[in-house]
Amino acid sequence: MHKWFVRIILTLFILQMALPVFGLVLFTFEGGGNFSVSPYTQLFTDSAFWSACLQSLVISVLSVALAIVLITPAIWYGYMYYPQILRVIEGFSFISFVIPAVVLGLAYVQFFSGPPLALAGTPALLPFAFTLLGMPYYVQAILNRLRLMDAKTYHDAARSLGSSAWRSLLQIQAPLLRTGIVNGSILVFSMGAGEFTITDLTTGGSYTTLPVYIQVAFGNTPLEGSAMAVFSIVISALLVFLAMGAFGRKRREYQ
Amino acid sequence: MKSKSMLSLSIFIPIFAFVALFAIYPAIGMVIGSFSNGSHATLANYKSALQGQYLSAFATTSLLSLEGALIGIVGGGLVTWALTRSRLTWLQSTLTAVSSVMANFAGLPLAVAFMATLGTSGFVTIVFEFLFGKNLTDLGFNLASATGLMIVYATFLVPLAVILLLPAVHSIRSEWEEAVYTLGGSIWRYIRAVVLPILTPSLVGTFALLFANAFSSYVTAYAIAGGSINLIPIQIGYLIDGNVTMNLGLGDALAMLEMVVLGLAVVVFLAMQRIAGPNKRGGEGRA
Amino acid sequence: MLSVTNLSKHFGTHTAVSDFSLDVGESEFVTLLGPSGSGKTTVLRMIAGLLEPSAGQIHIASQDVTSLPPQHRNIGLVFQSYALFPNMTAWDNIAFPLRIRRWRAEAIRKRVDSLLELVGLSHRARFHPDSLSGGERQRTALARALAFHPPLLLLDEPLSALDAKVRQGLRSFLKDVQRTTGVTTLMVTHDQEEALELSDRVVVMNAGRIEQVGTPADIYYRPASTFTAHFIGRVNALQATVRAVSSDSVVVDWNGVLMEWPHPVNQSWSAGDTVTLFARPESVQVSPTQNPGQIPARVTHLSFSGALTNVHLRAGDTEIVADILSSQAGWLTNGAEVYVNMIPPKRAESQ
């Protein structure tokens, strides 16, 4: 009885997850009435699509770089020496749960539209916004890694051998933290690559990332828009599996 | 020694500067903006935010979010339980990955996916009519309704609940179940006396986070329901997009109120995480 | 009390336990001893009802419990990881089985308090498992398993998660509790010292089968197989030839020296056989001058380990290890020419 209950629940869950995605894929192939792969061929020959992908890539990579540089050293040092400060940073990281995208967009439009920080209307705010949105996930990824790898012992060993704190961070800890950084980066990246609301609000539609272009395409050519949506699901699935792969490697290393 | 530790504290400056500039400064700006009508201090924004369509938007959003969180926690709880029961590790890791993907599946793509699935010419609608001879629309189903929105929300709330609950459910050790049996208890006794008390903090925390997530959904809600359902994020969106006359003070007040609700939910989530933490290690001393 | 007959367990094609039979008497303390993978825990879990046997029967107090679910077997089980419920205090953990059995509140209070006193944890009653030390958790788990007066107590590696010092203390404690309560006990362990010290009888297991059943002295001094001999402590294996056989002993020839040796269990030796004798290091005598029955040997290495000194010797092409009381080993030096003989295991030791 147990077994059947488990099977029924999992089957229902798989259906719940698969049906809308299947519906979307089916629509891209048959939306025109007959089976056709033309939405995809159109998509891949559409130069505007590729430039939107490039814009997304640039912004997401910038967000990831910002997250790595801003967050990693602080979390590492707080974990080592200042647990109270670490706790404050951890608390701050959840700010993005409190400020929803639409509110953050509203705030940025209001407060970054005049000198000295006239950033609204340009994509300059986006990396900061995405880093803020990705912060809870990035912080947890680094912390999980620090807890798992027994960073304190390595640091003490490096210090006892005469290394400075910075040298210990760059030469010993950073390579060990790599999987945590990779994991967190993937999360920040997918956050940035999928964000629509803030992009739309703060740039006023002047900067076309993939999600913005999908929105535009749905209005004009729904089939191509759907094909793009399928494309972005595939990318985010790939990213998740990449992250799981990094996690699996982390496990093996420490067994 | 003292100067050295002051120097080392400088490592925290960038992160605090970042949070101050890009989160706290705009938040404070909104607090001030919400109490101002452009020239002087006023409570008028909050007065209008707490009556009429805005008040009813709060009621509708809260109700829908509670409903969504409930569906998410029950569905996600069952799926998580089933996942840990299944002995197939490939299925476990695949479905965990699928959950991560689907928990972030939102916005217009999700809305369109549902139109293509459950819309008037969606494939499930067509298959249903072929199998049972009845049209879903004739049966009273409408995707652009509260029910439709719930179905769409469940698509990301259930997998989100799975991701949030998995660590806690994994921390439940099979020996505890065996111990209950050897001590003479049944499976119901095990669930009541061991599983539920251990899981309660995680369940409450996850519920709070699901609620917050549903409460702040904007693009998905707008794409599915358009103007037919009166939700707070949609009202805020209107105020910025200029569908109504731009009223920043009112927008700020609505945003502040929403942030208070979300803040409460996140505080509950964080508090429950702290309670749940020690249980993951196998129990806490409160003597 | 407990009677297990022809018990087997297969996992797919792998046989974890085959044809296991054992009778445990009232108030007896029996230990299943073996390396990991020998099937001992599988046997324990089948007796507890947590695993279904592939074949065989289990009787407790002459009742067939083979197909009874664990909650109706009335067996106390102490888990290797203790499996204390993290959401309950020590007191509530111990009261748990009594609440299931619907004892009256007053009776529960009395029973739990007296158990806490028995295990010396009255002052820790209100603590959660997380704030108890390893040894305290172990004692709480023991009290919980004994709470409902089970006729049979099962212990799964009860001391393996503890550090050496705590373990030593808990060993005698465990024995005391077993004696005072008189509960029939079956323990699983891979620690031979623990098994020898605690048990009335030891069952040595290897690869899913019973190698030998006997008293601790039997197992130690008269191992029935090479496996048992090597698994339990260090041993010298000596090649010898049987010269004569009598009803309860044999005369063997070891490097030209004749010795009277007890007849082994489970084997039958006859004159002319080449056999292996097992002699423990403490049964080797070393002297500076040759006494009757001794053969010459050379000291190859000495290592001091406190009360005993391990003397490594070479006699012909046989390596021998002898444990000599350090207080009497002062005369030994590396390379010294000495004379050795074996003290045969006595009948008295194998009762």
Side-chain angles (χ1 to χ4, degrees):
Chain A
M1 189 211 88
H2 237 147
K3 229 181 211 169
W4 280 107
F5 203 45
V6 167
R7 278 180 200 168
I8 290 169
I9 290 172
L10 290 182
T11 310
L12 285 176
F13 179 62
I14 291 168
L15 278 178
Q16 189 202 0
M17 296 296 100
L19 281 180
V21 177
F22 183 72
L24 186 66
V25 173
L26 200 69
F27 179 64
T28 60
F29 286 124
E30 287 196 319
N34 301 312
F35 178 83
S36 156
V37 294
S38 72
Y40 291 93
T41 53
Q42 255 169 32
L43 182 66
F44 292 125
T45 52
D46 178 359
S47 66
F49 166 72
W50 290 115
S51 87
C53 282
L54 186 68
Q55 311 266 58
S56 272
L57 188 71
V58 168
I59 287 297
S60 303
V61 167
L62 280 176
S63 312
V64 167
L66 196 63
I68 292 175
V69 173
L70 268 181
I71 304 175
T72 323
I75 295 295
W76 171 74
Y77 209 69
Y79 179 81
M80 289 295 181
Y81 299 112
Y82 296 99
Q84 297 93 335
I85 298 185
L86 176 68
R87 207 173 263 172
V88 172
I89 300 177
E90 228 190 317
F92 275 144
S93 76
F94 286 99
I95 278 184
S96 68
F97 286 1
V98 181
I99 312 182
V102 64
V103 173
L104 199 65
L106 171 67
Y108 281 7
V109 168
Q110 284 181 73
F111 303 111
F112 291 104
S113 53
L117 289 162
L119 302 174
T122 75
L125 278 169
L126 297 182
F128 297 100
F130 297 168
T131 298
L132 193 68
L133 290 187
M135 199 169 151
Y137 308 103
Y138 189 84
V139 167
Q140 292 308 318
I142 299 292
L143 274 180
N144 284 343
R145 182 62 183 160
L146 281 169
R147 290 186 184 121
L148 200 83
M149 76 181 199
D150 199 5
K152 285 197 173 92
T153 314
Y154 287 115
H155 187 62
D156 289 346
R159 295 304 293 270
S160 77
L161 294 170
S163 153
S164 73
W166 279 105
R167 198 191 178 93
S168 160
L169 171 63
L170 293 176
Q171 295 194 340
I172 313 290
Q173 306 280 341
L176 287 168
L177 268 176
R178 197 182 55 222
T179 48
I181 295 175
V182 168
N183 252 330
S185 299
I186 289 173
L187 293 168
V188 174
F189 187 94
S190 21
M191 182 70 61
E195 212 292 324
F196 168 75
T197 314
I198 296 177
T199 317
D200 186 50
L201 291 176
T202 63
T203 65
S206 69
Y207 192 77
T208 311
T209 58
L210 184 60
V212 173
Y213 191 59
I214 291 178
Q215 206 89 3
V216 173
F218 268 131
N220 306 326
T221 50
L223 288 181
E224 202 187 323
S226 305
M228 274 184 236
V230 171
F231 176 82
S232 71
I233 293 174
V234 170
I235 295 290
S236 68
L238 283 178
L239 286 172
V240 166
F241 279 97
L242 210 69
M244 301 246 312
F247 182 67
R249 203 162 51 243
K250 176 170 71 191
R251 265 199 182 150
R252 274 195 297 281
E253 266 173 40
Y254 280 85
Q255 259 168 13
Chain B
M1 213 49 217
K2 197 73 195 162
S3 70
K4 198 179 167 195
S5 79
M6 286 315 287
L7 185 75
S8 65
L9 277 173
S10 65
I11 202 168
F12 296 114
I13 291 174
I15 185 91
F16 281 108
F18 165 73
V19 171
L21 186 57
F22 291 99
I24 296 175
Y25 160 63
I28 291 174
M30 272 199 293
V31 175
I32 296 168
S34 68
F35 286 108
S36 140
N37 66 359
S39 50
H40 46 264
T42 174
L43 283 173
N45 296 323
Y46 284 95
K47 265 187 198 141
S48 23
L50 285 171
Q51 60 183 321
Q53 55 170 331
Y54 298 117
L55 188 64
S56 88
F58 264 109
T60 314
T61 316
S62 305
L63 203 68
L64 274 178
S65 305
L66 282 176
E67 215 179 302
L70 195 67
I71 291 173
I73 200 94
V74 172
L78 285 172
V79 172
T80 312
W81 171 79
L83 266 184
T84 51
R85 279 289 165 144
S86 154
R87 298 244 167 84
L88 308 168
T89 44
W90 65 267
L91 188 70
Q92 287 180 13
S93 52
T94 309
L95 286 185
T96 311
V98 165
S99 298
S100 311
V101 177
M102 296 303 285
N104 289 310
F105 188 27
L108 197 56
L110 177 65
V112 171
F114 265 96
M115 289 167 198
T117 308
L118 280 172
T120 38
S121 57
F123 89 95
V124 168
T125 314
I126 292 168
V127 168
F128 189 87
E129 191 168 2
F130 176 77
L131 285 179
F132 304 105
K134 288 222 172 72
N135 193 306
L136 279 174
T137 317
D138 297 341
L139 292 171
F141 177 79
N142 176 13
L143 192 59
S145 68
T147 317
L149 197 60
M150 262 315 102
I151 294 178
V152 178
Y153 275 17
T155 309
F156 57 87
L157 291 178
V158 170
L160 183 61
V162 170
I163 296 171
L164 291 170
L165 288 175
L166 257 181
V169 175
H170 263 304
S171 76
I172 293 184
R173 305 233 298 266
S174 58
E175 299 103 84
W176 294 336
E177 184 176 356
E178 295 179 348
V180 171
Y181 295 158
T182 62
L183 295 169
S186 63
I187 181 160
W188 302 115
R189 173 73 75 155
Y190 165 61
I191 291 171
R192 210 176 64 227
V194 180
V195 176
L196 281 182
I198 292 176
L199 281 189
T200 302
S202 301
L203 288 172
V204 173
T206 301
F207 185 87
L209 211 62
L210 296 181
F211 174 82
N213 199 297
F215 204 100
S216 52
S217 280
Y218 167 52
V219 189
T220 317
Y222 188 72
I224 286 287
S228 72
I229 301 177
N230 185 17
L231 297 175
I232 280 296
I234 293 181
Q235 291 291 358
I236 297 176
Y238 278 158
L239 288 172
I240 321 167
D241 267 1
N243 282 16
V244 296
T245 24
M246 187 94 154
N247 183 345
L248 282 178
L250 178 57
D252 286 344
L254 286 177
M256 287 311 302
L257 291 173
E258 177 170 5
M259 280 161 64
V260 169
V261 174
L262 296 179
L264 284 176
V266 170
V267 165
V268 169
F269 168 73
L270 291 178
M272 288 301 144
Q273 242 192 353
R274 284 189 85 167
I275 300 177
N279 270 338
K280 284 180 204 156
R281 296 196 311 266
E284 186 186 21
R286 269 160 287 210
Chain C
M1 206 356 257
L2 169 71
S3 171
V4 180
T5 30
N6 307 110
L7 202 63
S8 295
K9 179 68 190 176
H10 311 286
F11 295 107
T13 55
H14 171 70
T15 301
V17 173
S18 69
D19 210 20
F20 180 99
S21 298
L22 179 70
D23 284 294
V24 179
E26 196 72 48
S27 293
E28 202 181 5
F29 194 129
V30 174
T31 299
L32 304 183
L33 173 67
S36 57
S38 58
K40 54 193 193 305
T41 297
T42 310
V43 169
L44 190 89
R45 290 174 63 85
M46 286 193 281
I47 295 171
L50 299 171
L51 262 183
E52 207 181 321
S54 306
Q57 279 89 44
I58 301 162
H59 288 80
I60 296 173
S62 18
Q63 188 204 351
D64 186 347
V65 300
T66 315
S67 50
L68 215 59
Q71 50 266 53
H72 298 133
R73 290 196 185 191
N74 218 31
I75 294 176
L77 170 58
V78 175
F79 288 77
Q80 184 172 7
S81 59
Y82 317 134
L84 294 174
F85 307 125
N87 53 318
M88 302 178 197
T89 60
W91 202 95
D92 287 325
N93 262 286
I94 300 170
F96 184 77
L98 306 179
R99 294 201 170 119
I100 289 173
R101 286 166 176 76
R102 296 175 194 285
W103 284 30
R104 280 177 302 105
E106 184 54 21
I108 293 180
R109 199 186 55 72
K110 263 192 179 156
R111 176 67 179 151
V112 176
D113 287 345
S114 81
L115 277 164
L116 279 167
E117 203 175 311
L118 175 75
V119 299
L121 284 177
S122 302
H123 60 299
R124 302 296 246 175
R126 294 292 157 206
F127 281 57
H128 282 255
D130 213 34
S131 22
L132 297 175
S133 74
E136 288 169 342
R137 283 182 218 176
Q138 210 282 335
R139 285 182 280 162
T140 309
L142 183 65
R144 185 178 71 176
L146 289 171
F148 49 101
H149 300 290
L152 176 63
L153 177 68
L154 303 178
L155 307 169
D156 185 7
E157 303 266 10
L159 305 174
S160 68
L162 302 166
D163 56 54
K165 206 160 183 183
V166 180
R167 202 178 328 169
Q168 188 54 51
L170 270 178
R171 245 189 234 166
S172 35
F173 169 77
L174 202 58
K175 187 70 195 169
D176 283 349
V177 169
Q178 198 262 341
R179 277 212 196 97
T180 28
T181 56
V183 63
T184 309
T185 305
L186 183 67
M187 176 173 83
V188 155
T189 183
H190 66 273
D191 182 330
Q192 34 113 354
E193 260 184 61
E194 203 171 291
L196 297 179
E197 183 178 332
L198 290 174
S199 321
D200 297 319
R201 273 192 305 152
V202 177
V203 179
V204 181
M205 288 190 68
N206 180 35
R209 296 177 177 280
I210 295 182
E211 285 278 339
Q212 186 173 357
V213 184
T215 63
D218 242 351
I219 300 283
Y220 189 73
Y221 285 112
R222 303 178 70 199
S225 65
T226 319
F227 174 82
T228 308
H230 286 282
F231 186 68
I232 308 212
R234 292 166 306 143
V235 75
N236 293 301
L238 311 171
Q239 299 298 316
T241 312
V242 179
R243 291 285 180 238
V245 179
S246 71
S247 60
D248 60 350
S249 67
V250 293
V251 174
V252 292
D253 177 338
W254 174 60
N255 287 348
V257 177
L258 294 183
M259 300 186 285
E260 193 178 338
W261 207 267
H263 202 283
V265 285
N266 301 2
Q267 283 178 57
S268 104
W269 287 354
S270 44
D273 289 352
T274 302
V275 295
T276 305
L277 309 177
F278 296 111
R280 299 288 170 191
E282 69 273 20
S283 304
V284 181
Q285 278 186 324
V286 184
S287 41
T289 53
Q290 189 164 25
N291 300 315
Q294 289 192 314
I295 63 163
R298 176 189 295 274
V299 178
T300 57
H301 180 70
L302 286 167
S303 67
F304 174 75
S305 66
L308 294 176
T309 297
N310 313 123
V311 186
H312 295 251
L313 302 144
R314 175 174 285 277
D317 45 7
T318 315
E319 301 265 6
I320 298 170
V321 180
D323 283 348
I324 309 293
L325 284 174
S326 295
S327 55
Q328 291 164 25
W331 60 275
L332 286 160
T333 52
N334 262 334
E337 296 288 347
V338 297
Y339 300 91
V340 298
N341 67 295
M342 304 293 150
I343 306 167
K346 295 209 173 62
R347 304 281 315 150
E349 288 168 334
S350 43
Q351 270 168 6

